[in-house]
């Protein structure tokens, strides 16, 4: 690194992509979080559970992580190694160390939120419950080690961003590879766990089973992003031009935590979609019934007018005191109305309404109703086990 190198206006190079991603992705994730809490509070109408509080805390952690990543782009992240100065080098590793703590916290948040959701849905199965707790223990275990090594990985701690200080540091390349593998394996397990239970349930149609698998298996999207990030991060650790490749690696870090929380929120949108589809069907049925009734009324009115023109009008003379003459019974095809001013009898056709009753509104009386899964009503339990 040369001290005479002119540093471009920051953020530059790959740093601009990190900065843009740090602004856009938390905004999108925040919208999903708001929809989740709207669904919980106004559609399902239930108090918050522990998974909801975990999601809220994770959203805060993601926002802080994005802010720190954005600040890091003004301290050399994304530049080529030959564009660095000694000052930028120290600032770069300092901000990377701080932001990494919130990255680990965000990972732990969305992974635990998904596992807690699975426990609410399929916790009746003892083996599945044990598998979820073991996965949570494994996830929180290696993430805690990751956070500790990020903070205490060098002695003294300041040597992490000031390599000229005497002391020692752990092998960062090996640590990043190990922890990256932990991210991928935990995401893969979390993505597969609910699918094992879904395919053991009985549904009315295979389409319902596939739909639920797609909803609960959305955690595999976070796993795919984690795989890409781990591959780029590993190459970055072995590359000479580390700051430039870090710009790409940390872009995927932001995508990873935000995608994971989006998946944790999207898995709870079932009641909202159910409510919307119910309202849509209700509006459609009402419109169809209204058009059907209007058509029947128009047809009956036309037939009545034709009948009145073809048949004589029966009147009575109020001055002579004659009793009113009733039309023959053979001509009666409706209700008799003698409310006209001239005393004539008029026929009012009887119209029977065939309106289609509106379907009942969506209800959420059990834990499975958040996905509107009618197939779960066929769930068989024996001694607390799903069979």
């Amino acid at each position: 690194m040369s001290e005479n190198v002119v540093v471009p206006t920051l953020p530059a190079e790959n740093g601009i992509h990190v900065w843009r991603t740090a602004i856009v992705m938390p905004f999108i994730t925040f919208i999903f979080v708001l929809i989740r809490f709207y669904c919980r509070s106004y559609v399902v109408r239930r108090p918050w559970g522990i998974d909801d509080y975990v999601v809220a805390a994770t959203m805060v952690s993601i926002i802080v992580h994005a802010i720190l990543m954005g600040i890091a782009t003004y301290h050399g992240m994304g530049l080529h190694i030959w564009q660095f100065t000694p000052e930028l080098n120290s600032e770069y590793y300092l901000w990377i160390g701080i932001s990494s703590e919130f990255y680990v916290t965000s990972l732990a948040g969305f992974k635990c939120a998904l596992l807690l959701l699975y426990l609410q849905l399929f916790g009746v199965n003892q083996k599945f419950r044990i598998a979820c707790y073991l996965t949570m223990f494994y996830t929180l275990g290696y993430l805690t080690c990751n956070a500790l090594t990020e903070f205490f990985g060098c002695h003294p701690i300041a040597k992490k961003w000031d390599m000229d200080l005497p002391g020692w540091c752990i092998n960062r390349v090996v640590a990043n590879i190990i922890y990256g593998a932990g991210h991928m394996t935990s995401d893969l397990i979390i993505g597969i766990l609910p699918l094992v239970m879904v395919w053991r349930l009985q549904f009315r149609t295979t389409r319902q089973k596939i739909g639920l698998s797609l909803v609960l298996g959305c955690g595999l999207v976070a796993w795919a992003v984690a795989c890409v990030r781990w591959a780029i991060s590993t190459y970055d650790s072995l590359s000479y031009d580390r700051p430039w490749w870090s710009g790409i690696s940390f872009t995927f870090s932001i995508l990873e935590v935000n995608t994971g929380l989006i998946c944790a929120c999207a898995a709870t949108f079932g009641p909202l979609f159910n409510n919307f589809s119910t309202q849509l069907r209700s509006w459609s049925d009402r419109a169809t019934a209204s058009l059907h009734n209007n058509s029947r009324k128009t047809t009956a009115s036309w037939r009545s007018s034709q009948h009145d023109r073809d048949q004589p009008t029966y009147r009575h003379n109020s001055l002579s005191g004659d009793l009113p003459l009733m039309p023959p019974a053979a001509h009666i095809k409706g209700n008799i109305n003698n409310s006209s001013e001239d005393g004539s009898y008029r026929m009012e056709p009887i119209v029977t309404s065939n309106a289609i009753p509106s379907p009942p509104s969506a209800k959420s009386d059990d834990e499975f109703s958040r996905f509107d899964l009618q197939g779960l009503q066929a769930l068989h339990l024996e001694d607390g086990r799903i069979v």
Side-chain angles (χ1 to χ4, degrees):
M1 293 179 293
S2 174
E3 298 183 4
N4 297 325
V5 173
V6 178
V7 179
T9 302
L10 300 175
E13 301 292 343
N14 285 335
I16 192 65
H17 304 304
V18 178
W19 184 81
R20 290 170 179 171
T21 308
I23 293 177
V24 175
M25 284 306 301
F27 178 76
I28 297 175
T29 306
F30 186 69
I31 294 176
F32 276 81
V33 172
L34 288 181
I35 297 175
R36 174 195 174 101
F37 288 127
Y38 171 81
C39 184
R40 165 68 75 173
S41 302
Y42 297 101
V43 180
V44 180
R45 296 185 180 277
R46 287 186 178 182
W48 287 12
I50 185 173
D51 56 326
D52 297 304
Y53 290 103
V54 171
V55 167
T58 305
M59 185 71 251
V60 175
S61 178
I62 285 176
I63 293 175
V64 175
H65 173 254
I67 292 174
L68 294 174
M69 284 284 96
I71 294 175
T73 61
Y74 290 90
H75 295 276
M77 178 183 290
L79 292 179
H80 289 287
I81 191 69
W82 52 83
Q83 295 173 307
F84 257 47
T85 63
E87 292 78 13
L88 277 179
N89 187 67
S90 297
E91 295 172 6
Y92 166 75
Y93 283 105
L94 173 63
W95 287 103
I96 290 301
I98 298 174
S99 63
S100 295
E101 300 297 330
F102 289 92
Y103 168 69
V104 172
T105 304
S106 301
L107 286 175
F110 84 76
K111 292 173 190 285
C112 288
L114 284 170
L115 289 171
L116 290 171
L117 175 64
Y118 300 159
L119 285 171
Q120 292 180 25
L121 294 176
F122 308 114
V124 294
N125 185 284
Q126 184 178 5
K127 293 182 179 179
F128 181 82
R129 189 165 60 249
I130 293 175
C132 285
Y133 285 130
L134 289 176
T135 304
M136 190 178 300
F137 176 78
Y138 165 69
T139 300
L140 294 178
Y142 85 82
L143 287 176
T144 301
C145 294
N146 191 352
L148 292 176
T149 53
E150 283 290 342
F151 190 76
F152 299 107
C154 293
H155 181 77
I157 297 176
K159 185 172 178 60
K160 181 178 180 64
W161 58 85
D162 189 358
M163 300 302 296
D164 295 332
L165 291 176
W168 55 267
C169 291
I170 63 173
N171 191 322
R172 297 177 182 176
V173 176
V174 175
N176 290 335
I177 293 175
I178 293 175
Y179 293 136
H183 300 337
M184 289 191 303
T185 54
S186 62
D187 285 339
L188 183 60
I189 295 172
I190 292 173
I192 292 177
L193 270 177
L195 302 183
V196 176
M197 298 302 297
V198 168
W199 286 90
R200 295 179 62 186
L201 296 175
Q202 297 180 8
F203 290 82
R204 295 178 181 177
T205 62
T206 305
R207 182 178 179 181
Q208 288 181 326
K209 183 174 292 189
I210 295 175
L212 178 59
S213 299
L214 293 176
V215 171
L216 294 180
C218 63
L220 293 174
V221 177
W223 169 74
V225 177
C227 290
V228 176
R229 190 209 67 83
W230 181 75
I232 296 175
S233 176
T234 302
Y235 183 82
D236 173 37
S237 300
L238 302 174
S239 173
Y240 168 73
D241 196 5
R242 289 194 62 186
W244 191 87
W245 280 101
S246 293
I248 303 177
S249 175
F250 284 107
T251 298
F252 277 91
S253 296
I254 299 173
L255 290 174
E256 181 183 7
V257 294
N258 282 273
T259 302
L261 190 59
I262 287 174
C263 293
C265 293
T268 64
F269 289 173
L272 188 63
F273 292 136
N274 177 45
N275 188 54
F276 175 76
S277 61
T278 301
Q279 293 294 333
L280 188 62
R281 287 194 300 267
S282 177
W283 295 334
S284 176
D285 292 342
R286 290 173 185 172
T288 302
S290 178
L291 290 175
H292 182 66
N293 289 337
N294 290 337
S295 176
R296 290 177 59 89
K297 289 179 180 179
T298 303
T299 303
S301 177
W302 178 81
R303 289 178 177 176
S304 178
S305 62
Q306 287 292 105
H307 179 271
D308 291 343
R309 284 196 295 268
D310 296 340
Q311 300 298 329
T313 303
Y314 298 90
R315 304 175 183 274
H316 74 277
N317 192 337
S318 60
L319 296 177
S320 63
D322 296 335
L323 294 175
L325 298 178
M326 294 294 294
H331 298 295
I332 298 177
K333 296 183 181 297
N335 296 328
I336 301 175
N337 186 1
N338 190 27
S339 60
S340 58
E341 295 179 357
D342 58 358
S344 60
Y345 291 93
R346 300 296 181 187
M347 309 302 298
E348 293 182 352
I350 300 175
V351 180
T352 303
S353 175
N354 293 326
I356 302 174
S358 301
S361 58
K363 295 182 179 180
S364 297
D365 298 328
D366 54 69
E367 289 297 334
F368 304 114
S369 58
R370 67 174 61 191
F371 300 101
D372 187 28
L373 303 178
Q374 296 176 345
L376 285 174
Q377 296 174 358
L379 179 67
H380 297 290
L381 300 177
E382 290 184 3
D383 299 329
R385 297 179 300 171
I386 297 179
V387 296

